[in-house]
Amino acid sequence: MEKELIINSTPTEVEIALMEDSKLVELHYQKTNNNFTVGDIFVGKIKRLMPGLNAAFVDIGHPKDAFLHYTDLGPKLRSLLKFTAGAMSGSIQNHLLDRFEIEPDIIKTGKVDQVFNKKVPILVQVLKEPISTKGPRLSCELTLPGRYLVLTPFSNIIAVSKKIANAEERKRLHVLVESIRPKNFGVIVRTAAEGKKVADLNEEIQSIVSKWEDIFSQLTTAKPPAKLLSELDKTSSILRDLLSDSFNKIVVNDKQMYANVKNYLASIAPDQVRIVNMHKGNRPIFDSFGVTKQIKASFGKTATMNSGAYIVIEHTEAMHVIDVNSGHKIGSTSQDDAVLKVNLEAAEEIARQLRLRDIGGIILIDFIDMKKPEHKRELLKEMRQYMKKDRAQHTILPLSKFGLMQITRQRVRPEIKINTSEVCPTCNGTGKINASVLIVDEIERDYNFIIQSRPKSKIKLYVHPYVEAYLKKGWLKSIQMQWYRKYFRWLQIVPSADYHLTKYQFFDENDDEIRLN
């Protein structure tokens, strides 16, 4: 499988598209002023305890207090509180835990008001971003991730990813990590560590421990609420978690982002720096790689598949409901086989849609009814296979007697919702338009004005692809050439699928819009 990462960087946000075999499977957005990312570590202060909810609300600097449930405290809470208090008071002067005495675990069935009081400062990590009216959700089980390993302070447990199937390799990694891990730091061995040498893993452990040292040094002078560790930006965290030998291209449209990605890859995978490319060309990067078209086709209430069958996705307050429809495409000699084929195609598309839209919570799927038990088992097996690529934790239940499949999927950020409907290209929503045959005259009138006001500027015209084709039709006899002979200035015409039929804009050589009003 070929994987491509297409990165569109603008002054206000970064858009990242993950393509698998040229098909869009994940879409990520990050605003440049976003202060809360999953994985960030804060020292917060407890605002109020809620024994009825068995939870606490913690001030970490967000407009809404963050939510910390007892089940997210982790068994090592007492050790965490002791370390936090010791670092802030100065009684603990070393970030390493080799001389730190681990406190007894808290009980799983305890109450929040039994383990800490209202005023205590506490180290927390963002578990979920703010969603809708809710503030961030927090955890006290701190994790410090790297590409191959994840360190967990105040623990001595070593866990190896279940995706590493080879028993000998699992044992090798367990023994190897046990020999190099710092005392009182647990380690989770990630799938990417398979086959790696001790030098690679030891180097990463030292790098992660240095992050823990930064947290400790800031904690000694911090006044809650304060951020102590920022998770990597979205681009770097995706590269860290997803980068593998199957990646064959990373394309970026911004010079600064291009340099950042190359530098980051040089630090984690020097042999793959060569796959990073700078986007060249006048067309927007998402248009060039077909991302815009796939976004338009994939979002919305209905998603149509190649066979003509389609799925309908509805969002309710409690869950997402997906209905599978065959359309008019069932024409096989065996109706049972035809229904299975449509259901399998729908299962693959649903798995892609869950990743693409980052749909979480309870998902209920109404597949087309199947009579044969072996077909139902095959559908379940294939659905689980399609969902293997999904990084979010999920559970898939067999079809019920009503033909419904239930899926629960982890949600750590708001669902991506993109409105794919467009303003009417002729009336702009007003119900009235200027005569469309006059569009060329309007463009020429504005072009003439710009030439007079900017006699030396190189000018670009962005229009809908249909208008671009019309203006260039006939080459030597085209309207573009007529304007060149008339004004002795070459006008570069650039098509953009984001423009409706009668929209056009002029830009200068610096790609700044030339405003005419």
Side-chain angles (χ1 to χ4, degrees):
M1 177 187 296
E2 291 189 347
K3 290 184 181 180
E4 298 174 325
L5 208 62
I6 314 300
I7 304 172
N8 178 31
S9 178
T10 69
T12 57
E13 67 178 5
V14 177
E15 299 174 287
I16 305 162
L18 175 63
M19 314 280 282
E20 292 180 355
D21 292 332
S22 299
K23 184 175 283 190
L24 180 65
V25 293
E26 289 187 23
L27 194 61
H28 299 268
Y29 291 89
Q30 184 179 36
K31 293 190 179 294
T32 53
N33 61 350
N34 187 2
N35 294 322
F36 291 88
T37 304
V38 172
D40 287 352
I41 294 178
F42 291 80
V43 57
K45 54 184 179 182
I46 295 172
K47 293 292 289 290
R48 60 188 186 277
L49 301 175
M50 303 292 288
L53 297 174
N54 203 17
F57 285 95
V58 184
D59 179 13
I60 60 170
H62 190 268
K64 290 186 176 293
D65 290 338
F67 183 76
L68 177 61
H69 194 268
Y70 187 90
T71 54
D72 294 319
L73 297 180
K76 304 297 182 182
L77 177 69
R78 290 193 178 97
S79 298
L80 180 72
L81 292 174
K82 177 182 172 181
F83 181 82
T84 306
M88 296 183 75
S89 67
S91 61
I92 296 178
Q93 298 182 346
N94 192 340
H95 68 285
L96 294 175
L97 305 177
D98 48 354
R99 296 183 181 179
F100 183 83
E101 186 176 341
I102 301 294
E103 296 295 313
D105 293 358
I106 63 171
I107 60 173
K108 292 183 179 180
T109 55
K111 298 295 182 181
V112 69
D113 53 356
Q114 296 172 348
V115 292
F116 45 51
N117 58 50
K118 186 176 177 181
K119 297 180 180 179
V120 65
I122 186 168
L123 269 179
V124 290
Q125 190 165 29
V126 177
L127 199 62
K128 291 184 180 180
E129 292 181 13
I131 297 174
S132 185
T133 59
K134 301 174 182 178
R137 182 157 183 171
L138 305 177
S139 171
C140 288
E141 294 188 272
L142 305 185
T143 57
L144 304 170
R147 189 182 178 201
Y148 306 128
L149 307 169
V150 178
L151 257 58
T152 56
F154 316 111
S155 171
N156 286 292
I157 296 173
I158 298 175
V160 181
S161 170
K162 293 179 181 178
K163 292 183 180 180
I164 300 177
N166 187 296
E168 289 185 4
E169 176 64 8
R170 291 172 62 87
K171 185 177 180 181
R172 182 189 78 88
L173 288 169
H174 193 285
V175 172
L176 192 155
V177 168
E178 179 63 57
S179 67
I180 62 175
R181 73 174 179 87
K183 185 179 179 182
N184 290 331
F185 280 90
V187 179
I188 300 170
V189 182
R190 307 182 78 166
T191 311
E194 188 171 8
K196 296 302 175 184
K197 298 177 181 178
V198 63
D200 297 326
L201 303 184
N202 187 56
E203 182 181 352
E204 182 161 274
I205 283 180
Q206 298 308 316
S207 173
I208 299 174
V209 169
S210 68
K211 292 182 182 179
W212 179 248
E213 184 178 8
D214 289 341
I215 292 173
F216 172 78
S217 60
Q218 293 181 68
L219 191 58
T220 56
T221 57
K223 293 183 179 179
K227 182 187 288 189
L228 304 182
L229 177 72
S230 285
E231 173 62 296
L232 297 169
D233 61 76
K234 187 71 77 175
T235 307
S236 299
S237 64
I238 288 174
L239 287 174
R240 181 194 66 200
D241 294 342
L242 292 182
L243 188 66
S244 64
D245 294 338
S246 60
F247 264 91
N248 68 323
K249 188 184 290 184
I250 299 173
V251 189
V252 190
N253 70 334
D254 178 78
K255 290 182 179 178
Q256 184 62 49
M257 178 65 74
Y258 173 73
N260 291 345
V261 171
K262 287 196 75 170
N263 290 337
Y264 182 70
L265 273 185
S267 66
I268 67 166
D271 55 321
Q272 291 191 284
V273 173
R274 56 183 171 74
I275 69 174
V276 185
N277 298 290
M278 183 71 187
H279 174 63
K280 296 177 182 178
N282 295 315
R283 295 184 69 195
I285 186 170
F286 272 13
D287 286 359
S288 296
F289 288 89
V291 177
T292 302
K293 184 177 179 180
Q294 291 197 48
I295 290 174
K296 297 282 187 183
S298 300
F299 287 86
K301 183 178 177 180
T302 303
T304 304
M305 294 164 281
N306 292 334
S307 68
Y310 63 95
I311 59 175
V312 181
I313 303 173
E314 293 277 7
H315 170 71
T316 73
E317 189 67 27
M319 67 181 71
H320 288 81
V321 181
I322 302 175
D323 185 36
V324 178
N325 293 287
S326 63
H328 55 280
K329 295 295 181 180
I330 292 185
S332 173
T333 52
S334 169
Q335 186 172 0
D336 288 342
D337 291 341
V339 167
L340 175 62
K341 185 178 179 181
V342 170
N343 280 341
L344 290 175
E345 186 184 20
E348 184 176 10
E349 177 63 19
I350 289 168
R352 183 179 81 98
Q353 288 284 343
L354 297 186
R355 289 175 70 190
L356 182 58
R357 303 183 187 216
D358 205 9
I359 294 175
I362 300 173
I363 301 115
L364 198 63
I365 306 170
D366 182 13
F367 284 104
I368 302 173
D369 289 339
M370 295 181 293
K371 298 177 182 178
K372 297 182 178 180
E374 60 268 25
H375 285 180
K376 294 180 180 181
R377 288 193 295 270
E378 184 177 352
L379 177 61
L380 176 64
K381 177 184 174 182
E382 291 300 314
M383 189 72 195
R384 286 175 172 164
Q385 189 65 32
Y386 294 138
M387 291 286 286
K388 270 190 175 181
K389 303 172 190 173
D390 197 337
R391 291 181 294 146
Q393 295 180 12
H394 57 269
T395 303
I396 305 171
L397 298 182
L399 289 167
S400 71
K401 64 180 180 180
F402 299 118
L404 303 175
M405 180 179 287
Q406 299 174 66
I407 299 176
T408 60
R409 186 176 182 274
Q410 179 189 26
R411 179 173 65 173
V412 296
R413 62 186 176 123
E415 176 192 346
I416 296 177
K417 295 180 181 179
I418 297 177
N419 183 9
T420 57
S421 61
E422 299 178 356
V423 175
C424 174
T426 52
C427 73
N428 287 324
T430 64
K432 297 179 180 180
I433 64 165
N434 295 325
S436 58
V437 295
L438 300 179
I439 180 66
V440 175
D441 294 337
E442 291 176 9
I443 292 173
E444 184 178 6
R445 185 166 55 247
D446 290 342
Y447 179 45
N448 184 28
F449 173 78
I450 292 170
I451 287 174
Q452 294 177 12
S453 59
R454 297 179 176 226
K456 295 184 179 180
S457 293
K458 293 181 180 179
I459 303 168
K460 291 187 224 175
L461 171 67
Y462 280 72
V463 291
H464 188 278
Y466 288 172
V467 177
E468 182 247 2
Y470 179 74
L471 294 176
K472 291 182 177 180
K473 181 181 178 182
W475 180 225
L476 291 175
K477 295 182 180 180
S478 68
I479 294 173
Q480 185 182 32
M481 288 299 294
Q482 291 175 28
W483 288 346
Y484 175 69
R485 288 191 287 267
K486 182 176 181 180
Y487 298 108
F488 302 103
R489 293 277 297 279
W490 181 252
L491 176 64
Q492 183 181 353
I493 302 174
V494 183
S496 176
D498 288 336
Y499 284 44
H500 59 70
L501 194 62
T502 58
K503 179 182 177 180
Y504 62 91
Q505 287 177 303
F506 290 95
F507 292 83
D508 61 19
E509 62 269 25
N510 298 319
D511 286 328
D512 293 328
E513 182 186 352
I514 301 173
R515 299 186 181 275
L516 299 170
N517 52 6

